[in-house]
Amino acid sequence: MAEIIKINDNTWRFEDDSVRFFLFCGTKQAALIDSGMNVPDAKMIAEGLTDLPLILINTHADPDHISGNAAFDEAYMSPDEEENYRAFGGSGKIIPIHEGDVIDLGDRPLRIIDIPGHTPGSIAIIDEKNRVLVSGDSVEDGNVFMFGERRDIDRYIPSMEHLLEYTDAFDEIYPMHGSFPVKNDLIGKLIEGAKLIKSGAVEGKKVDVFGTPAMFYKFPYAGFLCDPQ
């Protein structure tokens, strides 16, 4: 079972081994943001913390983020993520969300930012009232996965540059992996690292990740796992 950690009176984080997800509550409804890797009862756990109607928003659909999705009839996510979602057994209706959409939980608007690259439909979410960015897997100080099917570092770099345009709207970042929370300046550092990888200016190390070969690039602030050269 995931460890439940209360952030404040209307926000919780769930630590599920190496991944985390969140519950945000407004005055009218609550949102589970992702549903973990080993938590098929994520909905039931969230409903034990709030009596508000509960919706599900997915930052993306890698399997370590959708373990509890089956308990929901529908999930908010980018339509560009549907192929990824179905490939990993995702069920139910997808309610499409796009750049600029705002999901208001009741005095708690959540603004959607498209940041493709880690996956085709990766999104970030700005919790405007609390000045927090939920970054999915795209911004973290662990290892950013950029290898294998549907990853695209050529899209990741401009997505992170686009995210920089919003840094005056949030003071800290809630990532799904690595340290919690992280600071806004990590975005610029990740851009720098990804550009160095693209230009061939840094050397990687060949590694095996769950049986798949990858190149590992380690920087002081984070790592990248990329397709072999």
Short mmCIF file of all heavy atoms in Angstrom, two decimals, residues 14 21-23 29-36 39-47 50 52-58 65-77 85-86 89-95:
data_model
loop_
_atom_site.label_atom_id
_atom_site.label_comp_id
_atom_site.label_asym_id
_atom_site.label_seq_id
_atom_site.Cartn_x
_atom_site.Cartn_y
_atom_site.Cartn_z
N PHE A 14 1.04 10.55 -2.28
CA PHE A 14 1.10 9.12 -2.03
C PHE A 14 2.43 8.61 -2.57
O PHE A 14 2.73 8.77 -3.75
CB PHE A 14 -0.06 8.40 -2.73
CG PHE A 14 -1.41 8.94 -2.38
CD1 PHE A 14 -1.97 10.00 -3.09
CD2 PHE A 14 -2.14 8.42 -1.32
CE1 PHE A 14 -3.21 10.52 -2.77
CE2 PHE A 14 -3.38 8.92 -0.98
CZ PHE A 14 -3.93 9.98 -1.71
N PHE A 21 1.96 9.97 -6.47
CA PHE A 21 0.80 10.62 -7.08
C PHE A 21 0.13 11.46 -6.02
O PHE A 21 0.56 11.47 -4.85
CB PHE A 21 -0.14 9.61 -7.74
CG PHE A 21 -0.67 8.51 -6.85
CD1 PHE A 21 -1.96 8.55 -6.37
CD2 PHE A 21 0.12 7.42 -6.50
CE1 PHE A 21 -2.48 7.54 -5.57
CE2 PHE A 21 -0.37 6.39 -5.70
CZ PHE A 21 -1.67 6.46 -5.22
N PHE A 22 -0.91 12.20 -6.40
CA PHE A 22 -1.43 13.25 -5.52
C PHE A 22 -2.95 13.27 -5.47
O PHE A 22 -3.62 12.84 -6.42
CB PHE A 22 -0.95 14.63 -6.01
CG PHE A 22 0.54 14.78 -6.06
CD1 PHE A 22 1.23 14.55 -7.24
CD2 PHE A 22 1.25 15.13 -4.92
CE1 PHE A 22 2.62 14.66 -7.28
CE2 PHE A 22 2.63 15.25 -4.96
CZ PHE A 22 3.32 15.02 -6.14
N LEU A 23 -3.47 13.81 -4.38
CA LEU A 23 -4.88 14.13 -4.25
C LEU A 23 -4.99 15.61 -3.95
O LEU A 23 -4.43 16.09 -2.95
CB LEU A 23 -5.53 13.33 -3.12
CG LEU A 23 -7.00 13.66 -2.82
CD1 LEU A 23 -7.90 13.28 -3.99
CD2 LEU A 23 -7.46 12.94 -1.54
N GLN A 29 -15.03 19.61 -5.72
CA GLN A 29 -14.63 18.27 -6.13
C GLN A 29 -13.15 18.07 -5.83
O GLN A 29 -12.44 19.01 -5.46
CB GLN A 29 -14.92 18.02 -7.61
CG GLN A 29 -14.23 18.94 -8.58
CD GLN A 29 -14.60 18.65 -10.02
OE1 GLN A 29 -15.16 17.61 -10.36
NE2 GLN A 29 -14.30 19.58 -10.91
N ALA A 30 -12.71 16.83 -5.95
CA ALA A 30 -11.32 16.48 -5.71
C ALA A 30 -10.76 15.80 -6.95
O ALA A 30 -11.50 15.18 -7.72
CB ALA A 30 -11.21 15.55 -4.50
N ALA A 31 -9.45 15.91 -7.11
CA ALA A 31 -8.79 15.28 -8.26
C ALA A 31 -7.64 14.40 -7.77
O ALA A 31 -6.77 14.85 -7.03
CB ALA A 31 -8.25 16.34 -9.21
N LEU A 32 -7.69 13.13 -8.19
CA LEU A 32 -6.54 12.26 -8.04
C LEU A 32 -5.68 12.48 -9.27
O LEU A 32 -6.16 12.38 -10.40
CB LEU A 32 -7.00 10.80 -7.95
CG LEU A 32 -5.98 9.77 -7.48
CD1 LEU A 32 -5.59 10.02 -6.03
CD2 LEU A 32 -6.53 8.35 -7.64
N ILE A 33 -4.42 12.85 -9.07
CA ILE A 33 -3.52 13.12 -10.18
C ILE A 33 -2.57 11.94 -10.30
O ILE A 33 -1.66 11.76 -9.49
CB ILE A 33 -2.77 14.45 -10.00
CG1 ILE A 33 -3.78 15.59 -9.84
CG2 ILE A 33 -1.85 14.71 -11.19
CD1 ILE A 33 -3.14 16.95 -9.62
N ASP A 34 -2.81 11.10 -11.31
CA ASP A 34 -2.21 9.79 -11.51
C ASP A 34 -2.73 8.81 -10.45
O ASP A 34 -3.41 9.21 -9.50
CB ASP A 34 -0.68 9.84 -11.53
CG ASP A 34 -0.14 10.50 -12.80
OD1 ASP A 34 -0.92 10.76 -13.73
OD2 ASP A 34 1.08 10.74 -12.86
N SER A 35 -2.42 7.52 -10.65
CA SER A 35 -2.96 6.53 -9.72
C SER A 35 -1.95 5.45 -9.35
O SER A 35 -2.32 4.36 -8.94
CB SER A 35 -4.24 5.90 -10.29
OG SER A 35 -3.98 5.16 -11.47
N GLY A 36 -0.66 5.76 -9.52
CA GLY A 36 0.37 4.91 -8.97
C GLY A 36 0.75 3.70 -9.79
O GLY A 36 0.21 3.43 -10.86
N VAL A 39 -1.08 0.38 -6.89
CA VAL A 39 -2.17 0.83 -6.03
C VAL A 39 -3.51 0.70 -6.76
O VAL A 39 -4.15 1.70 -7.11
CB VAL A 39 -1.95 2.29 -5.56
CG1 VAL A 39 -2.86 2.60 -4.37
CG2 VAL A 39 -0.51 2.55 -5.18
N PRO A 40 -3.97 -0.52 -7.03
CA PRO A 40 -5.25 -0.66 -7.71
C PRO A 40 -6.42 -0.08 -6.93
O PRO A 40 -7.47 0.22 -7.50
CB PRO A 40 -5.39 -2.18 -7.89
CG PRO A 40 -4.47 -2.79 -6.88
CD PRO A 40 -3.34 -1.83 -6.74
N ASP A 41 -6.24 0.09 -5.61
CA ASP A 41 -7.29 0.67 -4.77
C ASP A 41 -7.07 2.16 -4.52
O ASP A 41 -7.56 2.71 -3.52
CB ASP A 41 -7.40 -0.08 -3.45
CG ASP A 41 -6.08 -0.10 -2.67
OD1 ASP A 41 -5.03 0.25 -3.25
OD2 ASP A 41 -6.10 -0.49 -1.49
N ALA A 42 -6.37 2.84 -5.44
CA ALA A 42 -6.09 4.27 -5.27
C ALA A 42 -7.36 5.08 -5.09
O ALA A 42 -7.41 6.01 -4.28
CB ALA A 42 -5.28 4.79 -6.45
N LYS A 43 -8.41 4.74 -5.84
CA LYS A 43 -9.67 5.48 -5.72
C LYS A 43 -10.25 5.33 -4.32
O LYS A 43 -10.68 6.32 -3.71
CB LYS A 43 -10.67 5.01 -6.77
CG LYS A 43 -11.99 5.77 -6.73
CD LYS A 43 -12.97 5.24 -7.77
CE LYS A 43 -14.27 6.04 -7.73
NZ LYS A 43 -15.28 5.49 -8.68
N MET A 44 -10.26 4.12 -3.80
CA MET A 44 -10.81 3.86 -2.47
C MET A 44 -10.01 4.61 -1.40
O MET A 44 -10.58 5.18 -0.46
CB MET A 44 -10.81 2.37 -2.18
CG MET A 44 -11.44 2.00 -0.85
SD MET A 44 -11.45 0.21 -0.56
CE MET A 44 -9.71 -0.10 -0.32
N ILE A 45 -8.69 4.63 -1.56
CA ILE A 45 -7.84 5.35 -0.60
C ILE A 45 -8.17 6.83 -0.63
O ILE A 45 -8.32 7.47 0.42
CB ILE A 45 -6.36 5.12 -0.93
CG1 ILE A 45 -5.98 3.64 -0.70
CG2 ILE A 45 -5.48 6.03 -0.07
CD1 ILE A 45 -4.60 3.28 -1.21
N ALA A 46 -8.31 7.40 -1.83
CA ALA A 46 -8.62 8.82 -1.96
C ALA A 46 -9.99 9.14 -1.36
O ALA A 46 -10.16 10.15 -0.67
CB ALA A 46 -8.57 9.25 -3.42
N GLU A 47 -10.95 8.26 -1.60
CA GLU A 47 -12.31 8.48 -1.07
C GLU A 47 -12.34 8.37 0.45
O GLU A 47 -13.27 8.86 1.08
CB GLU A 47 -13.27 7.51 -1.73
CG GLU A 47 -13.53 7.83 -3.19
CD GLU A 47 -14.40 6.81 -3.90
OE1 GLU A 47 -14.47 5.65 -3.44
OE2 GLU A 47 -15.00 7.17 -4.93
N THR A 50 -11.52 12.15 1.53
CA THR A 50 -12.42 13.25 1.19
C THR A 50 -13.79 12.72 0.83
O THR A 50 -13.92 11.62 0.26
CB THR A 50 -11.86 14.08 0.01
OG1 THR A 50 -12.78 15.12 -0.31
CG2 THR A 50 -11.64 13.23 -1.23
N LEU A 52 -15.68 14.62 -1.14
CA LEU A 52 -15.99 15.32 -2.38
C LEU A 52 -16.05 14.36 -3.56
O LEU A 52 -15.38 13.32 -3.56
CB LEU A 52 -14.90 16.38 -2.65
CG LEU A 52 -14.83 17.56 -1.69
CD1 LEU A 52 -13.51 18.30 -1.88
CD2 LEU A 52 -16.02 18.49 -1.91
N PRO A 53 -16.85 14.69 -4.58
CA PRO A 53 -16.82 13.90 -5.82
C PRO A 53 -15.39 13.85 -6.36
O PRO A 53 -14.69 14.87 -6.36
CB PRO A 53 -17.75 14.66 -6.76
CG PRO A 53 -18.62 15.47 -5.86
CD PRO A 53 -17.79 15.82 -4.66
N LEU A 54 -14.97 12.69 -6.83
CA LEU A 54 -13.57 12.47 -7.20
C LEU A 54 -13.42 12.27 -8.70
O LEU A 54 -14.11 11.45 -9.30
CB LEU A 54 -13.03 11.24 -6.46
CG LEU A 54 -11.56 10.88 -6.66
CD1 LEU A 54 -10.66 11.96 -6.06
CD2 LEU A 54 -11.26 9.52 -6.02
N ILE A 55 -12.48 13.02 -9.30
CA ILE A 55 -12.12 12.82 -10.69
C ILE A 55 -10.67 12.34 -10.76
O ILE A 55 -9.93 12.42 -9.77
CB ILE A 55 -12.29 14.09 -11.54
CG1 ILE A 55 -11.34 15.20 -11.07
CG2 ILE A 55 -13.74 14.57 -11.51
CD1 ILE A 55 -11.30 16.42 -11.99
N LEU A 56 -10.29 11.83 -11.94
CA LEU A 56 -8.93 11.35 -12.15
C LEU A 56 -8.31 12.12 -13.31
O LEU A 56 -8.91 12.23 -14.39
CB LEU A 56 -8.95 9.85 -12.48
CG LEU A 56 -7.62 9.22 -12.94
CD1 LEU A 56 -6.57 9.28 -11.83
CD2 LEU A 56 -7.85 7.77 -13.39
N ILE A 57 -7.11 12.65 -13.10
CA ILE A 57 -6.33 13.30 -14.14
C ILE A 57 -5.01 12.56 -14.27
O ILE A 57 -4.33 12.32 -13.26
CB ILE A 57 -6.05 14.78 -13.82
CG1 ILE A 57 -7.34 15.54 -13.49
CG2 ILE A 57 -5.31 15.45 -14.98
CD1 ILE A 57 -7.10 16.96 -12.96
N ASN A 58 -4.65 12.18 -15.49
CA ASN A 58 -3.36 11.52 -15.71
C ASN A 58 -2.38 12.46 -16.38
O ASN A 58 -2.68 13.03 -17.43
CB ASN A 58 -3.51 10.26 -16.56
CG ASN A 58 -4.05 9.07 -15.79
OD1 ASN A 58 -5.16 8.61 -16.03
ND2 ASN A 58 -3.27 8.57 -14.85
N HIS A 65 1.90 4.81 -13.61
CA HIS A 65 1.05 5.96 -13.28
C HIS A 65 -0.44 5.66 -13.40
O HIS A 65 -1.26 6.55 -13.17
CB HIS A 65 1.40 7.16 -14.17
CG HIS A 65 2.79 7.64 -13.97
ND1 HIS A 65 3.11 8.71 -13.16
CD2 HIS A 65 3.97 7.18 -14.45
CE1 HIS A 65 4.42 8.88 -13.16
NE2 HIS A 65 4.97 7.96 -13.94
N ILE A 66 -0.80 4.44 -13.76
CA ILE A 66 -2.20 4.14 -14.07
C ILE A 66 -2.72 2.90 -13.34
O ILE A 66 -3.76 2.35 -13.71
CB ILE A 66 -2.44 3.98 -15.59
CG1 ILE A 66 -1.62 2.82 -16.16
CG2 ILE A 66 -2.09 5.29 -16.31
CD1 ILE A 66 -1.97 2.47 -17.61
N SER A 67 -2.06 2.46 -12.27
CA SER A 67 -2.44 1.19 -11.64
C SER A 67 -3.84 1.22 -11.06
O SER A 67 -4.51 0.19 -10.96
CB SER A 67 -1.44 0.80 -10.55
OG SER A 67 -1.53 1.67 -9.43
N GLY A 68 -4.32 2.41 -10.67
CA GLY A 68 -5.66 2.50 -10.09
C GLY A 68 -6.71 3.01 -11.05
O GLY A 68 -7.87 3.22 -10.65
N ASN A 69 -6.34 3.21 -12.32
CA ASN A 69 -7.29 3.79 -13.28
C ASN A 69 -8.52 2.94 -13.51
O ASN A 69 -9.61 3.47 -13.78
CB ASN A 69 -6.60 4.03 -14.62
CG ASN A 69 -5.87 5.36 -14.69
OD1 ASN A 69 -5.17 5.75 -13.76
ND2 ASN A 69 -6.03 6.06 -15.80
N ALA A 70 -8.39 1.63 -13.42
CA ALA A 70 -9.51 0.75 -13.76
C ALA A 70 -10.72 0.97 -12.86
O ALA A 70 -11.85 0.63 -13.24
CB ALA A 70 -9.06 -0.71 -13.69
N ALA A 71 -10.53 1.54 -11.69
CA ALA A 71 -11.65 1.79 -10.77
C ALA A 71 -12.47 3.01 -11.19
O ALA A 71 -13.55 3.24 -10.64
CB ALA A 71 -11.12 1.98 -9.35
N PHE A 72 -11.98 3.76 -12.16
CA PHE A 72 -12.67 4.95 -12.67
C PHE A 72 -13.29 4.64 -14.03
O PHE A 72 -12.69 3.96 -14.85
CB PHE A 72 -11.70 6.12 -12.82
CG PHE A 72 -11.18 6.68 -11.53
CD1 PHE A 72 -10.09 6.09 -10.89
CD2 PHE A 72 -11.76 7.81 -10.97
CE1 PHE A 72 -9.59 6.62 -9.71
CE2 PHE A 72 -11.26 8.34 -9.78
CZ PHE A 72 -10.19 7.74 -9.14
N ASP A 73 -14.47 5.18 -14.27
CA ASP A 73 -15.10 5.03 -15.59
C ASP A 73 -14.46 5.92 -16.64
O ASP A 73 -14.56 5.64 -17.83
CB ASP A 73 -16.61 5.37 -15.51
CG ASP A 73 -17.37 4.39 -14.64
OD1 ASP A 73 -16.98 3.21 -14.60
OD2 ASP A 73 -18.37 4.81 -14.01
N GLU A 74 -13.79 7.00 -16.19
CA GLU A 74 -13.21 7.95 -17.13
C GLU A 74 -12.01 8.62 -16.48
O GLU A 74 -11.88 8.66 -15.25
CB GLU A 74 -14.24 9.00 -17.55
CG GLU A 74 -14.84 9.77 -16.39
CD GLU A 74 -16.06 10.59 -16.78
OE1 GLU A 74 -16.74 10.24 -17.75
OE2 GLU A 74 -16.30 11.62 -16.10
N ALA A 75 -11.14 9.13 -17.34
CA ALA A 75 -9.95 9.84 -16.87
C ALA A 75 -9.68 11.01 -17.79
O ALA A 75 -9.81 10.90 -19.01
CB ALA A 75 -8.75 8.90 -16.82
N TYR A 76 -9.29 12.13 -17.20
CA TYR A 76 -8.85 13.28 -17.97
C TYR A 76 -7.40 13.06 -18.38
O TYR A 76 -6.54 12.79 -17.53
CB TYR A 76 -8.94 14.56 -17.13
CG TYR A 76 -10.32 15.04 -16.82
CD1 TYR A 76 -11.04 14.53 -15.75
CD2 TYR A 76 -10.92 16.04 -17.59
CE1 TYR A 76 -12.31 14.98 -15.44
CE2 TYR A 76 -12.19 16.51 -17.30
CZ TYR A 76 -12.88 15.97 -16.22
OH TYR A 76 -14.14 16.43 -15.93
N MET A 77 -7.12 13.18 -19.67
CA MET A 77 -5.74 13.13 -20.15
C MET A 77 -5.67 13.68 -21.56
O MET A 77 -6.71 13.85 -22.23
CB MET A 77 -5.16 11.72 -20.08
CG MET A 77 -5.67 10.73 -21.11
SD MET A 77 -4.87 9.10 -20.98
CE MET A 77 -5.64 8.46 -19.48
N TYR A 85 -1.81 4.83 -23.50
CA TYR A 85 -2.71 4.34 -22.46
C TYR A 85 -3.26 2.96 -22.80
O TYR A 85 -3.23 2.04 -21.98
CB TYR A 85 -3.84 5.34 -22.27
CG TYR A 85 -4.78 5.06 -21.13
CD1 TYR A 85 -4.31 4.89 -19.84
CD2 TYR A 85 -6.16 4.99 -21.34
CE1 TYR A 85 -5.18 4.65 -18.78
CE2 TYR A 85 -7.03 4.76 -20.30
CZ TYR A 85 -6.54 4.58 -19.02
OH TYR A 85 -7.40 4.34 -17.98
N ARG A 86 -3.76 2.82 -24.02
CA ARG A 86 -4.33 1.53 -24.41
C ARG A 86 -3.25 0.46 -24.53
O ARG A 86 -3.50 -0.72 -24.23
CB ARG A 86 -5.07 1.67 -25.74
CG ARG A 86 -6.20 2.71 -25.75
CD ARG A 86 -7.24 2.51 -24.68
NE ARG A 86 -8.30 3.53 -24.77
CZ ARG A 86 -9.19 3.78 -23.83
NH1 ARG A 86 -9.15 3.10 -22.69
NH2 ARG A 86 -10.10 4.72 -23.99
N GLY A 89 -2.87 -1.29 -21.36
CA GLY A 89 -4.08 -1.87 -20.80
C GLY A 89 -5.03 -0.89 -20.16
O GLY A 89 -5.94 -1.30 -19.42
N GLY A 90 -4.86 0.39 -20.43
CA GLY A 90 -5.74 1.40 -19.86
C GLY A 90 -7.17 1.23 -20.34
O GLY A 90 -7.42 1.04 -21.53
N SER A 91 -8.12 1.34 -19.41
CA SER A 91 -9.53 1.12 -19.73
C SER A 91 -10.33 2.38 -19.43
O SER A 91 -9.85 3.33 -18.82
CB SER A 91 -10.09 -0.04 -18.91
OG SER A 91 -9.98 0.23 -17.52
N GLY A 92 -11.57 2.38 -19.87
CA GLY A 92 -12.47 3.48 -19.59
C GLY A 92 -12.39 4.59 -20.61
O GLY A 92 -11.57 4.58 -21.53
N LYS A 93 -13.23 5.57 -20.44
CA LYS A 93 -13.32 6.71 -21.36
C LYS A 93 -12.23 7.72 -21.06
O LYS A 93 -11.92 7.98 -19.90
CB LYS A 93 -14.71 7.36 -21.21
CG LYS A 93 -14.93 8.60 -22.05
CD LYS A 93 -16.29 9.21 -21.76
CE LYS A 93 -16.51 10.50 -22.53
NZ LYS A 93 -17.82 11.13 -22.20
N ILE A 94 -11.69 8.29 -22.12
CA ILE A 94 -10.74 9.39 -21.96
C ILE A 94 -11.48 10.71 -22.20
O ILE A 94 -12.13 10.90 -23.23
CB ILE A 94 -9.57 9.27 -22.95
CG1 ILE A 94 -8.67 8.10 -22.55
CG2 ILE A 94 -8.77 10.57 -23.03
CD1 ILE A 94 -7.55 7.83 -23.52
N ILE A 95 -11.41 11.60 -21.23
CA ILE A 95 -11.91 12.96 -21.41
C ILE A 95 -10.73 13.82 -21.85
O ILE A 95 -9.77 14.00 -21.08
CB ILE A 95 -12.52 13.52 -20.11
CG1 ILE A 95 -13.66 12.63 -19.63
CG2 ILE A 95 -13.01 14.95 -20.32
CD1 ILE A 95 -14.26 13.06 -18.31
#
